[in-house]
Amino acid sequence: MALIVQKYGGSSLESAERIRAVAERVVATHKAGNDVVVVCSAMGDTTDELLDLAAQVNPTPPPREMDMLLTAGERISNSLVAMAVAGLGAPVQSFTGSQAGVITTERYGNARILEVTPGRVQDAIDAGKIAIVAGFQGVNRDTRDVTTLGRGGSDTTAVALAAALGADECEIYSDVDGIYSADPRIVPDAKKLDNLCFEEMLELAASGSKILVLRSVEYARAFNVPMRVRSSYSNDTGTLVSGAMEDIPVEEAVLVGVATDDSEAKITVFGIPDVPGEAAKVFRALADAEINIDMVLQNTSTQGNNVTDITFTLPIADGPRGMELLTDLVKNEGWEDVTYNDEIAKVSLVGAGMKSHPGVTAEFTEALRDKGINIGMMNTSEIRITAVVKRGDMEEAARVIHDKFDLGGDEPAVVYAGTGR
């Protein structure tokens, strides 16, 4: 007997028909002799609809009340799945995030999980029941307020529960059959990958792949929780994410995929004195405002003027706030200027086999050159190359890099719904 945690995304739960289909899959897993815990996202576009409704009554709603509102979406799908499971004759019990023991920081809208104390969930499992848990939410121990976990929070809920319960596997269900060598909506011949190590999946997620949220993969690697990405629309075995890069035999190491991301903007600060401590002022201002940055490029000062420019990328959602902070900083410090560009995108090539493939960077840049695609910034890691290009060039860049490294499959990828989650 195995303990399986299954997470179902919004596209898998978008209608009563889809909820019944999910319930049938859950009950079949239970009847096969497994203990089952299910984590539910909100139905379809429920979260977006709640956000729109909130904006209609208050353009700047209190963060605490926004979390109270948004957690309702997962509780609705949670109870409906439990009802559907009960309708199939299986014993079931549903829980909110707080009832399941998901303890978080007090930051509304993007709380972090501190610990999971799943006593009530374990009791339900021990009683032979299927446990259904609302994803994306938890509770702060000090304030006792409900909190939400940010984008992809249900993935993180599922992995955290799997770790706390000692689950054998955490299955993440979406509307595609697994993880592909590229977004199949952009690259039609994208190939489904059977296996990935945690490091490869972390790089793909950090580079824009939307099938798994970065925080869930970080959690899975930290607690060694095997993750399997599957579709709730088929019986395909999906993609298994597990193990470390060191576990991959050298002769099997390959380049695995291309990721794209058009959710970032670029800021350049000009005329910063090229002396110790000046660059730190830029990043301290952003850190104090809880603004995450991604790629960073600092130019070498030209001989004689001893000033430099710093360019970095950050989430578009934080762009206006970041510009406001840095405009004030530039003025106060007497620096030259600050500019903003939200018409950019990232294209990344990922694979644990990169370091055993000489010339990858040359071929990567040549592929873009041959299509007349200019590179604005570049960044590399041991298993990733990322280029910043114009947003309008992103999809073509993904296709040419995918073709250049022969990453395609023999059959067209199938997308069952359309959201990728």
Side-chain angles (χ1 to χ4, degrees), residues 62-72 107-109 146-148:
R64 179 186 184 277
E65 304 312 322
M66 181 60 81
D67 274 12
M68 286 287 284
L69 174 67
L70 295 183
T71 54
R107 183 183 179 188
Y108 301 113
V146 295
T147 55
T148 61

Side-chain angles (χ1 to χ4, degrees), residues 41-215:
S41 294
M43 295 175 62
D45 297 324
T46 298
T47 300
D48 289 337
E49 291 168 359
L50 291 173
L51 286 168
D52 291 342
L53 189 60
Q56 292 176 42
V57 298
N58 185 345
T60 56
R64 179 186 184 277
E65 304 312 322
M66 181 60 81
D67 274 12
M68 286 287 284
L69 174 67
L70 295 183
T71 54
E74 277 69 23
R75 292 200 304 273
I76 290 169
S77 59
N78 197 51
S79 56
L80 289 172
V81 171
M83 292 175 191
V85 169
L88 295 172
V92 63
Q93 187 173 354
S94 67
F95 302 90
T96 66
S98 58
Q99 289 172 335
V102 180
I103 310 301
T104 75
T105 59
E106 62 180 340
R107 183 183 179 188
Y108 301 113
N110 195 26
R112 297 273 173 169
I113 295 176
L114 295 174
E115 64 174 321
V116 179
T117 54
R120 295 184 66 183
V121 175
Q122 187 64 61
D123 289 344
I125 295 170
D126 293 342
K129 298 177 181 178
I130 296 170
I132 316 287
V133 178
F136 180 62
Q137 61 188 258
V139 64
N140 179 260
R141 181 179 283 123
D142 298 325
T143 64
R144 298 186 181 180
D145 284 342
V146 295
T147 55
T148 61
L149 305 179
R151 190 189 75 81
S154 292
D155 287 4
T156 310
T157 301
V159 175
L161 274 169
L165 293 165
D168 295 276
E169 194 166 275
C170 181
E171 297 179 342
I172 306 293
Y173 285 87
S174 69
D175 56 14
V176 290
D177 282 328
I179 298 164
Y180 283 79
S181 58
D183 185 340
R185 297 162 188 78
I186 296 175
V187 182
D189 69 338
K191 179 182 179 181
K192 186 174 76 69
L193 306 170
D194 293 327
N195 298 279
L196 286 171
C197 67
F198 285 124
E199 287 86 352
E200 289 172 327
M201 190 64 242
L202 280 169
E203 291 286 10
L204 285 171
S207 300
S209 175
K210 297 177 179 61
I211 194 68
L212 286 176
V213 69
L214 178 62
R215 284 165 61 182

